[in-house]
Amino acid sequence: MTVLSSASAPANSRRSRDIYALDYFKRPNYLKVYQCLMEGMTDGGYTFSDPWDWQVKKHKAQEKARADAAAAKAALVEAKGRVPIK
């Protein structure tokens, strides 16, 4: 979860006010919505190539699984005293 600074609060309230002012019968100003989203990304230092939060967790889990597998393989080799066949 990202913590917003107090400096970004006025910009965030302005963005949310514009969004919440819409109702079912109003057509959104898509350019303004896009500009607000891009401003938020720029303010937060985010890029389109940043991983999603679940991708970071998945990557960390995969790294841990690889490290655990390598440690288990090394322990098995050490216990048997020979090099395993790949």
Side-chain angles (χ1 to χ4, degrees), residues 2-83:
T2 304
V3 177
L4 300 173
S5 68
S6 60
S8 64
N12 287 328
S13 64
R14 183 182 68 242
R15 289 180 200 136
S16 61
R17 185 176 54 240
D18 291 341
I19 297 297
Y20 289 118
L22 296 172
D23 64 14
Y24 183 79
F25 300 102
K26 292 182 183 176
R27 183 175 189 272
N29 181 345
Y30 290 109
L31 178 60
K32 189 171 187 177
V33 171
Y34 172 79
Q35 289 170 338
C36 286
L37 292 172
M38 290 304 299
E39 182 181 330
M41 282 183 63
T42 304
D43 291 348
Y46 303 109
T47 64
F48 286 108
S49 61
D50 289 344
W52 296 94
D53 58 345
W54 62 84
Q55 291 173 320
V56 172
K57 291 175 187 174
K58 181 180 176 183
H59 181 68
K60 287 181 181 177
Q62 288 173 342
E63 285 181 348
K64 183 179 181 328
R66 283 190 203 111
D68 291 347
K73 188 175 181 180
L76 181 62
V77 170
E78 186 178 325
K80 291 192 175 188
R82 60 183 175 90
V83 177

